Amino acid sequence: MQLTFASYNIHKGVGTDRRRDPERIMAVLREIDADVIALQEADERFGERASVLSRGLLDDSPWRVVPVARRPRSIGWHGNALLVRRHMDVVHGEALELPTLEPRGAACGEIVHEGVPFRVIGTHLDLSGLRRRDQIRSLLAYLARTRDVPTVIMGDFNQWGHASGAMREFGKGWQMIAPGASFPSRRPIARLDRIVASKQWRNGKADVHRTALAAVASDHLPISASLTLPDK
């Protein structure tokens, strides 16, 4: 089973031209054409935490939302949302709390595809770095309490070093995928966006999605990775 996973901080739909354009974000997602997508900053920060991407846009897309929202107009949790292909079976969706000095969380989904279960978590870690280690430890503790299935964790980790700092918390059982600089989108210099895969996955091609549209749609470029579960 081979799937393409993508992570994209959509900056609440506001591009580098300071225009809020959800349709432009959706056009970038169609360019990537991933099977599973983790979005960050997908909901407005205040008020009803309404989704940046309208239900109409999502209904006309190849993906559906993994249900983690705790507010009726939201598609995520603290801005983290998960999209999966419509033909995939979503067994469970859950909003995860993370230790924080500022609003942070994670969206978790259990998916079955071609009869194979797997788990995906989308998150946006602490900007200051003060609680980043604690947040990763919290995610790993959650996984330790749940059934052991192939897992992918992805998002904006706000971590500059590829395998240093808070990333050391993952240990040897995890594969770190940081395909390249993705921030800021016009002239990227930082690998803040990551995909971390459990040992069951075989890592294939990983990429930063650099197109003219992506360079202006958000302040981050999307990243993607092709992952395969070998036959048993």
Side-chain angles (χ1 to χ4, degrees), residues 9-228:
N9 184 331
I10 66 172
H11 198 225
K12 300 177 177 62
V14 178
T16 55
D17 57 0
R18 300 184 181 181
R19 289 177 48 233
R20 189 186 303 276
D21 190 342
E23 292 186 0
R24 184 166 57 185
I25 293 293
M26 189 60 70
V28 174
L29 295 180
R30 289 180 181 275
E31 285 183 346
I32 305 166
D33 197 31
D35 300 300
V36 181
I37 302 169
L39 300 177
Q40 301 87 53
E41 299 191 24
D43 292 335
E44 295 178 5
R45 185 166 186 175
F46 301 107
E48 296 181 330
R49 306 292 203 277
S51 170
V52 170
L53 303 176
S54 70
R55 295 289 178 181
L57 279 176
L58 291 167
D59 287 345
D60 289 338
S61 80
W63 306 281
R64 58 191 176 115
V65 176
V66 175
V68 301
R70 298 182 179 179
R71 295 171 183 263
R73 297 187 62 196
S74 170
I75 63 169
W77 174 238
H78 289 307
N80 298 289
L82 297 173
L83 306 180
V84 299
R85 295 277 187 196
R86 293 190 178 275
H87 62 268
M88 292 182 173
D89 294 326
V90 179
V91 177
H92 178 66
E94 185 173 356
L96 305 181
E97 303 277 359
L98 294 182
T100 182
L101 297 175
E102 56 190 78
R104 297 289 177 185
C108 178
E110 290 195 23
I111 317 297
V112 174
H113 179 56
E114 297 179 355
V116 180
F118 67 95
R119 180 186 296 109
V120 60
I121 295 176
T123 191
H124 189 179
L125 298 185
D126 176 50
L127 180 62
S128 71
L130 296 175
R131 302 305 299 275
R132 212 174 291 146
R133 286 181 180 273
D134 292 338
Q135 289 167 352
I136 293 176
R137 288 171 185 158
S138 177
L139 291 176
L140 295 176
Y142 169 81
L143 294 177
R145 298 192 302 268
T146 58
R147 65 174 181 153
D148 183 20
V149 295
T151 298
V152 176
I153 304 173
M154 51 186 174
D156 181 354
F157 282 72
N158 274 315
Q159 177 74 44
W160 282 67
H162 173 59
S164 60
M167 303 305 291
R168 292 195 185 101
E169 298 297 325
F170 282 105
K172 295 182 179 180
W174 294 89
Q175 306 171 66
M176 307 292 171
I177 306 169
S182 56
F183 177 85
S185 57
R186 285 192 181 272
R187 291 189 177 180
I189 59 172
R191 301 185 179 201
L192 304 183
D193 302 288
R194 313 286 179 86
I195 298 172
V196 183
S198 63
K199 61 185 178 182
Q200 296 100 324
W201 296 95
R202 183 176 297 161
N203 182 14
K205 181 182 177 182
D207 192 27
V208 178
H209 186 74
R210 295 183 177 93
T211 64
L213 189 62
V216 71
S218 171
D219 62 346
H220 284 246
L221 294 173
I223 64 168
S224 65
S226 177
L227 301 177
T228 303

